[in-house]
Amino acid sequence: MARDNRFAVPGGVVTASDFRTPAAATSQTNVAATSVGDIRVERAGNQRWLVVGRSPEQLWDPIRGFWQENGFALTQDLQNIGIMETDWAENRAKLPQDFIRNTLGKVLNSLYDTGERDKFRTRLERTATGTEVYISHRGMVEKLVGGNAANATGTVWEPRAPSPELEAEFLRRLMVRLGQTEEQAKAQVAAAPVKSTSRVATAGGAPVVQIDEGFERAWRRVGLALDRTGFTVEDRDRAPGMYFVRYVDPTTDSKEPGFFGKLLGGTAPTKEPLKYRIAVKSQGEATTVSVLKSDGQPETSANAQRIVQVIADDLK
């Protein structure tokens, strides 16, 4: 079996900040020197994104190439809405690099499995001066069913928390791919966050998220939170502050078609996605995020409560 080396590193178990690939290390030579200096990182809490002084059309092919150079296949490549998404990949950096594996590596690679899978979504959003680029992570972990390894009746795949460290590492790699030096990229990604406050409240009988930030920053951060937490953004309209989304409970994500569907035998039906609008409304430096039904009416169900809580938790 050919080894999947999308996350592979020599040495031992490492953190995301230690990851390196030949493509990430050498790709800067393929970018014109004039591109250096038009990229910066913005950060709030554990969220980061890039602000690039180039149009989405200029960035699309280089970013597509970036994921391919890092060994990922794209399952979504939707330039019309600015979304790319990778297939699920095993993070083999978490495998122990012990003596036996170093000696018999190719033979034993097929016998080891971390029990974790990762995928990444890239979203490009046009601005007046260029493009904002967001990379969001989603993960799954394999869990035993029915007890410990000795008496388990099988396994199931369950969502695990997004990794801001993995997001930061791939943002750093992308900065290098787009022309920054390693030192510039590391310094910007490591910069201290700007603090903000978000909380769940009630307005007009419906649950909402209240954010102590103005519209521009809140709009960006809500979009990244949606990408991270199981939503599919079908469309967005920045002028009225509206995201049009489909939502599937993350616990059903292991039954989606493709890798996990095949892995689980495809026997369980996928729950029908629900369509919502996520409204972002601001007055000065205060913003309210609410959930609307597909027809624009306020959503007051338990689903709305869960959605605003998920968004609020990610904004912390």
Side-chain angles (χ1 to χ4, degrees):
M1 176 181 292
R3 179 169 178 170
D4 180 346
N5 62 0
R6 280 168 277 201
F7 294 98
V9 294
V13 177
V14 298
T15 61
S17 60
D18 297 317
F19 294 172
R20 298 290 183 272
T21 64
T26 62
S27 59
Q28 66 191 73
T29 62
N30 299 324
V31 180
T34 54
S35 66
V36 176
D38 69 342
I39 306 170
R40 73 176 189 273
V41 177
E42 290 201 9
R43 182 176 178 186
N46 65 11
Q47 296 180 327
R48 298 174 178 87
W49 59 94
L50 302 185
V51 179
V52 186
R54 290 171 243 177
S55 70
E57 291 80 9
Q58 291 174 300
L59 291 173
W60 192 260
D61 285 343
I63 293 177
R64 179 198 286 127
F66 164 78
W67 287 114
Q68 293 169 343
E69 290 163 8
N70 278 274
F72 289 90
L74 293 178
T75 59
Q76 291 191 55
D77 188 353
L78 306 173
Q79 187 170 2
N80 60 318
I81 59 173
I83 295 290
M84 294 182 201
E85 189 165 282
T86 73
D87 202 353
W88 292 99
E90 181 183 12
N91 184 347
R92 299 190 68 87
K94 294 194 174 185
L95 292 177
Q97 303 290 315
D98 54 33
F99 173 78
I100 295 176
R101 289 197 65 248
N102 286 335
T103 305
L104 304 175
K106 289 187 178 180
V107 175
L108 294 183
N109 273 336
S110 61
L111 304 180
Y112 281 78
D113 194 298
T114 62
E116 293 186 1
R117 299 291 186 271
D118 302 278
K119 71 188 304 183
F120 297 89
R121 179 181 295 172
T122 309
R123 179 164 55 88
L124 282 67
E125 185 156 332
R126 189 186 306 274
T127 68
T129 57
T131 306
E132 293 164 351
V133 181
Y134 306 83
I135 293 178
S136 56
H137 165 257
R138 292 176 66 189
M140 301 287 283
V141 61
E142 190 175 23
K143 296 288 185 69
L144 295 173
V145 175
N148 56 34
N151 57 17
T153 58
T155 63
V156 295
W157 289 89
E158 297 179 353
R160 75 179 200 277
S163 170
E165 291 79 15
L166 278 175
E167 293 170 351
E169 170 58 20
F170 279 100
L171 282 174
R172 183 198 65 77
R173 293 187 189 186
L174 180 57
M175 293 174 74
V176 174
R177 176 65 173 83
L178 294 177
Q180 292 277 22
T181 66
E182 289 277 359
E183 292 72 21
Q184 289 171 324
K186 285 181 181 178
Q188 289 203 56
V189 168
V194 176
K195 293 184 179 180
S196 64
T197 302
S198 63
R199 57 199 168 273
V200 174
T202 302
V208 299
V209 183
Q210 294 177 338
I211 309 172
D212 296 336
E213 294 178 334
F215 176 80
E216 292 298 327
R217 196 172 189 88
W219 172 260
R220 299 177 186 122
R221 297 190 64 209
V222 169
L224 182 52
L226 294 173
D227 287 341
R228 279 178 168 178
T229 51
F231 293 86
T232 296
V233 178
E234 295 185 320
D235 200 358
R236 56 188 182 271
D237 190 343
R238 192 176 183 130
M242 199 73 66
Y243 287 97
F244 301 85
V245 304
R246 287 187 289 113
Y247 177 72
V248 178
D249 188 318
T251 59
T252 69
D253 194 47
S254 60
K255 301 175 184 63
E256 70 180 66
F259 179 84
F260 285 102
K262 295 175 182 176
L263 190 67
L264 298 170
T267 57
T270 302
K271 186 180 292 186
E272 187 70 22
L274 301 173
K275 292 192 176 185
Y276 296 103
R277 301 182 187 184
I278 307 299
V280 182
K281 304 294 182 184
S282 301
Q283 287 188 331
E285 293 303 307
T287 298
T288 298
V289 182
S290 58
V291 182
L292 308 179
K293 299 177 183 178
S294 59
D295 62 2
Q297 297 301 308
E299 175 64 76
T300 59
S301 69
N303 273 349
Q305 183 67 46
R306 284 193 289 269
I307 290 169
V308 298
Q309 189 65 61
V310 164
I311 294 172
D313 289 345
D314 194 77
L315 292 174
K316 290 181 180 178

